[in-house]
Amino acid sequence: GVERGGSMGRTPSDLKRLAEGRGHRFSVLQVASAGMKDGSVTLPLGSVDLDTGTRLRYYVREGDFAKKEVEALWMGYKKRTLEETMMNSDDGKGMFTPSCCMLFSTLDRGTKLFGGKGGYETSIASDFLPTLPSFTGFYSNGVLGNLDDTESGSMDTMVHGSAAQFVLIGSKSRRPIYSPAKAIWEEKQAAQKEEEEEAVGQNTAEEDGQPAERTPVVLEQRAPRSEDGELVLKRREIHSGRAMTVSTVEWSVAEKTATPTSALEGFMWDKETEVDRFRERIPLQNLVSQCKLYIMDPSKPAPRDWIGSVRHAAEGGKFVIVPECKRMEPTTGSLRKRYDVAKLTKQLTLAGAPAISINCDGVLFGGSLDDIPKAREASSSAALELSTSEGDGVVVPPILASDLILYPYQLYKLRLAGADAVNLVAGSLASKDLLYLSKIAQSLKFQTLVSVTSEVQIRTITTLSPGSVNALIVSNRELEDFNFDMTGQQALDLLKSDAMKDFRAKHGDDVPVLVEGRVGLIEREDEKGETSPEQYLKELKETCACGAIVAGTLATSNTDDSGMSFEELNAAC
């Protein structure tokens, strides 16, 4: 390198010049030849005029200096930018604003030069330009350009064989920078704000006594069904991507990703993904070991008799109301402004609920596995409070865990969470899976309830051995779109069906049959032509249903005190 100016008194620090934004002090020239013995250097004839006293520098590739050089270069850029901002009279509106940084680095400036740290030059640039949305570039055999801030054309353009060049690109018309990540974030924020405003408006309408507008789920086309009328369900595809390999890195690119044909199928795929994430944290083998230690520990609570509590409440022909704590419905949204499972459980326990259902699904219903221990603790403390004031005879309501259970892994998680009974959805399970999960549940001392929506599902349960199913839940929900049959006829038809008679003949009349889905909201017409929810409760009771699991009714009638809503509905039975 030949020093520009040639004066012996010039500051010898290149780093200081770079930090001041003045560029390099030396002009790098092509060397024609060099003598190793005497240290002589021959420059091309006519390339430069050398005077006595001109400094020459031999550039040696050295990692520490290279790091300092890059940092000083960007320090000088920031210094010049600040000076231009201070001198600009229009608040920086006319200044150049970079939207992209491109790095052209020669092949010898890799991880070895920078002490084994990959991407060093790019990381320094991103530190000085934290708001820049795009960094790109590539390695090259050489870099074209000047080593200082001289204008192009003032000297011959040169090729530097060991260098790095940063090129900042921006809009000539001073358009604002577009960031795809920021745009996506703003869209999500706007959508979330719209959902919150809609939920607040919905709750406000309900408080004012006006019926809130409900938007049912509408599928683009009907879901495929088998010959017996059941939904055709496929498990989630995990090997549908195209494998991509670069060096030691391998990943999968999604191609022709399948879409669910029904709400239940999409629910199952999301649940499988959720369970896979749980398995990544705690493998099944470790979870089983934890569960065994939990069961052997005498200080840990054992599952309580959920079915026994329901039967006791149904003595004398009483229609039993089992309240369910649920955050939201997939078809109607949030049921309450604020969902506090501990508060709700305490209110229901004090109101005398014989048993409680906790919807702990986090995919569609907004629940959590932590809701079960919270509900168990709150109900125990409420029962203790009630027994102190009213004496003995107060029973803590047992907890039914309501979730879409597809794997034994979920049963072990529910056992550790403190559930007393579990609910299996017959429409999502093949007969062999239903049998396998019921046996696992029995081994964990769970009581098993099975939810059905068709006669085919009832006949499948009938094939199981007596004692495999402790109770049956007849649902008004349509699994294709998760909407409810607001006439209530679906549950009534199932209760009167021949399949139900066959089930009772094999498993016994003492197996409780409960109804689920808008009980307390569905109105039926009586003999006088008057419609009321009480008429539907009467028809359910006449078809030998012993009770109902209710959630939305409690939130609709009184969002502040679910205990009061439970007492009102229980009195109507």
Side-chain angles (χ1 to χ4, degrees):
V2 180
E3 184 179 30
R4 295 197 304 274
S7 174
M8 295 290 292
R10 297 292 296 271
T11 303
S13 175
D14 262 5
L15 297 179
K16 185 176 180 180
R17 286 180 58 89
L18 290 176
E20 293 174 352
R22 293 190 290 162
H24 287 79
R25 185 164 58 97
F26 292 86
S27 298
V28 178
L29 302 178
Q30 180 182 0
V31 175
S33 64
M36 298 297 294
K37 293 183 178 180
D38 57 359
S40 62
V41 176
T42 302
L43 301 175
L45 182 64
S47 61
V48 66
D49 294 329
L50 296 180
D51 299 326
T52 302
T54 300
R55 291 178 183 268
L56 299 179
R57 166 169 290 185
Y58 295 91
Y59 283 90
V60 180
R61 294 177 64 253
E62 199 271 322
D64 290 338
F65 182 83
K67 292 180 181 179
K68 295 177 182 178
E69 187 181 32
V70 174
E71 294 176 2
L73 175 69
W74 280 104
M75 187 69 72
Y77 169 78
K78 294 297 289 185
K79 182 176 183 296
R80 293 202 311 270
T81 303
L82 291 174
E83 290 175 351
E84 293 176 3
T85 303
M86 295 176 63
M87 296 175 62
N88 200 296
S89 59
D90 57 352
D91 299 329
K93 295 181 180 179
M95 292 181 55
F96 170 76
T97 303
S99 58
C100 174
C101 177
M102 300 189 70
L103 168 62
F104 304 105
S105 185
T106 53
L107 296 172
D108 60 343
R109 295 176 66 86
T111 57
K112 189 174 182 180
L113 177 64
F114 294 105
K117 184 176 181 180
Y120 179 80
E121 292 174 306
T122 307
S123 64
I124 294 298
S126 62
D127 290 341
F128 280 90
L129 299 173
T131 60
L132 206 63
S134 177
F135 285 86
T136 185
F138 49 81
Y139 282 105
S140 57
N141 293 328
V143 176
L144 291 172
N146 304 329
L147 289 179
D148 55 13
D149 53 357
T150 56
E151 296 181 0
S152 300
S154 62
M155 61 179 294
D156 293 337
T157 301
M158 302 191 64
V159 178
H160 306 285
S162 179
Q165 182 180 39
F166 295 91
V167 179
L168 296 177
I169 301 174
S171 172
K172 185 176 181 181
S173 60
R174 304 294 189 263
R175 288 185 303 173
I177 299 175
Y178 172 76
S179 172
K182 184 178 180 181
I184 294 175
W185 181 83
E186 290 177 349
E187 289 179 1
K188 289 183 177 179
Q189 290 294 108
Q192 183 178 357
K193 183 178 180 181
E194 184 178 351
E195 291 178 359
E196 292 176 353
E197 291 177 351
E198 183 180 350
V200 171
Q202 184 183 85
N203 290 324
T204 303
E206 291 178 352
E207 289 178 357
D208 295 339
Q210 303 174 0
E213 182 179 353
R214 305 296 188 184
T215 304
V217 176
V218 179
L219 299 176
E220 295 182 359
Q221 58 184 2
R222 301 295 296 177
R225 294 180 179 269
S226 59
E227 295 180 356
D228 56 10
E230 291 297 291
L231 290 173
V232 177
L233 302 173
K234 295 181 180 180
R235 288 300 179 96
R236 178 174 57 100
E237 297 182 9
I238 58 176
H239 300 294
S240 60
R242 174 168 55 90
M244 298 286 292
T245 303
V246 176
S247 184
T248 59
V249 180
E250 183 175 347
W251 69 92
S252 177
V253 179
E255 290 184 342
K256 299 180 180 179
T257 305
T259 56
T261 58
S262 63
L264 177 60
E265 191 173 66
F267 190 9
M268 292 170 61
W269 291 2
D270 291 339
K271 183 59 66 173
E272 289 171 343
T273 302
E274 181 185 68
V275 175
D276 286 345
R277 291 173 181 169
F278 283 144
R279 286 199 186 108
E280 291 175 358
R281 301 172 189 170
I282 304 177
L284 177 60
Q285 186 177 1
N286 295 356
L287 184 64
V288 172
S289 299
Q290 292 179 16
C291 201
K292 288 181 179 179
L293 293 175
Y294 182 91
I295 294 174
M296 294 171 59
D297 189 348
S299 63
K300 300 299 183 181
R304 297 165 295 190
D305 188 3
W306 196 91
I307 300 298
S309 296
V310 173
R311 284 176 176 165
H312 179 73
E315 291 179 354
K318 175 69 175 178
F319 192 82
V320 183
I321 298 297
V322 177
E324 181 176 41
C325 297
K326 184 188 300 183
R327 181 184 295 271
M328 60 183 294
E329 272 288 344
T331 57
T332 59
S334 299
L335 298 178
R336 298 174 177 84
K337 280 186 177 181
R338 295 178 181 84
Y339 179 74
D340 188 344
V341 67
K343 179 181 177 181
L344 293 176
T345 307
K346 181 179 180 180
Q347 293 173 350
L348 295 171
T349 302
L350 295 176
I356 295 177
S357 174
I358 302 295
N359 195 307
C360 55
D361 165 65
V363 176
L364 288 184
F365 296 92
S368 170
L369 204 62
D370 295 333
D371 291 343
I372 295 177
K374 290 179 182 178
R376 189 179 183 109
E377 182 179 354
S379 61
S380 298
S381 60
L384 180 62
E385 176 185 338
L386 197 62
S387 63
T388 304
S389 59
E390 298 185 6
D392 297 335
V394 178
V395 179
V396 181
I399 304 297
L400 168 67
S402 181
D403 195 357
L404 182 65
I405 299 175
L406 303 176
Y407 300 103
Y409 189 96
Q410 297 168 268
L411 294 174
Y412 291 111
K413 293 282 286 185
L414 292 172
R415 183 67 174 87
L416 292 174
D420 301 306
V422 293
N423 179 21
L424 303 179
V425 179
S428 65
L429 299 170
S431 57
K432 60 180 181 179
D433 295 331
L434 191 59
L435 175 62
Y436 180 56
L437 290 175
S438 64
K439 288 184 177 181
I440 296 294
Q442 283 183 337
S443 67
L444 296 174
K445 309 301 180 185
F446 278 137
Q447 292 179 328
T448 305
L449 289 79
V450 181
S451 177
V452 296
T453 58
S454 69
E455 293 187 40
V456 175
Q457 297 169 18
I458 297 176
R459 295 191 186 281
T460 300
I461 298 171
T462 305
T463 60
L464 302 179
S465 59
S468 301
V469 177
N470 301 106
L472 207 62
I473 301 176
V474 178
S475 178
N476 276 316
R477 191 185 294 277
E478 174 53 57
L479 297 181
E480 181 175 350
D481 55 12
F482 265 59
N483 285 312
F484 288 105
D485 174 19
M486 290 305 297
T487 66
Q489 192 62 42
Q490 177 171 299
L492 290 173
D493 290 342
L494 292 177
L495 290 170
K496 299 175 183 178
S497 65
D498 293 335
M500 182 63 71
K501 295 178 182 178
D502 296 339
F503 172 81
R504 292 184 183 276
K506 181 175 181 179
H507 291 264
D509 293 334
D510 59 337
V511 175
V513 178
L514 303 169
V515 180
E516 180 264 340
R518 289 297 188 262
V519 178
L521 294 177
I522 296 175
E523 297 183 349
R524 301 278 290 188
E525 186 176 334
D526 57 16
E527 298 176 354
K528 299 179 181 180
E530 299 177 354
T531 58
S532 65
E534 290 77 9
Q535 177 62 26
Y536 185 57
L537 295 173
K538 180 181 178 181
E539 293 182 23
L540 292 176
K541 188 175 179 180
E542 291 174 352
T543 52
C544 299
C546 73
I549 299 177
V550 296
T553 306
L554 303 181
T556 303
S557 58
N558 194 324
T559 57
D560 295 329
D561 192 347
S562 294
M564 185 181 299
S565 301
F566 169 78
E567 291 176 346
E568 293 174 356
L569 184 59
N570 198 37
C573 299

